[in-house]
Amino acid sequence: MHMALACAQAAADAGETPVGCVIVDETSGEVVAEGRNGPIGAHDPTAHAEIVALRAAAAKLGNYRLTGLTLYVTLEPCAMCAGAISHARIGRVVWGADDPKGGAVAHGPRFFDQPTCHWRPQTTGGVLATEGAELLRTFFRARRKGTAA
């Protein structure tokens, strides 16, 4: 999760919402891919940290199925990202800060609990949540004041 927080800080430094993601093969300990939010710079509304990392992991492994891997993300995934995680067959999702407004795992639609969800990863929330939430608060506080984060 510390690596995901570093990715989130890199997103903030680039003027993007500070969310970071790392995909790990827990068996080997290898970091397979990482991502950070980038919709503004990429001109791509789907360039959430999880989607960026999923694309990189699939390309690296030559397979869109990422079964058995663990995805660490600093903020609870939204519905779009939860859907992509399910389609990729990620084995486990670990997130930091809860997102009562936009989250879709523990909040909102609770995507993985839906009967139409074809793949349900193991989930763990609240890992380094304070650090992830503080990055978000600091970033948006600075934006409201018109200063850099």
Side-chain angles (χ1 to χ4, degrees):
M1 188 61 82
H2 289 286
M3 291 179 69
L5 286 165
C7 291
Q9 183 61 59
D13 294 345
E16 303 276 1
T17 300
V19 178
C21 180
V22 176
I23 298 176
V24 177
D25 180 338
E26 299 288 356
T27 304
S28 69
E30 176 190 8
V31 174
V32 177
E34 60 183 45
R36 62 181 172 101
N37 260 18
I40 298 166
H43 310 290
D44 178 359
T46 69
H48 288 196
E50 300 95 323
I51 302 296
V52 172
L54 288 167
R55 287 176 179 158
K60 180 176 182 175
L61 298 176
N63 192 340
Y64 74 104
R65 297 283 196 223
L66 304 175
T67 308
L69 301 181
T70 300
L71 182 146
Y72 293 89
V73 63
T74 58
L75 184 66
E76 178 184 350
C78 70
M80 174 184 70
C81 293
I85 288 165
S86 179
H87 283 286
R89 306 286 199 267
I90 287 286
R92 182 173 176 228
V93 176
V94 179
W95 74 89
D98 282 344
D99 187 356
K101 185 175 179 181
V105 179
H107 297 90
R110 298 179 187 259
F111 187 89
F112 300 130
D113 294 339
Q114 298 306 312
T116 54
C117 180
H118 298 290
W119 178 265
R120 293 169 182 84
Q122 295 177 5
T123 59
T124 304
V127 177
L128 297 180
T130 302
E131 293 84 345
E134 185 56 32
L135 267 174
L136 288 158
R137 275 192 294 277
T138 300
F139 178 80
F140 286 111
R141 188 178 308 123
R143 290 189 69 127
R144 283 191 298 274
K145 290 181 181 180
T147 61

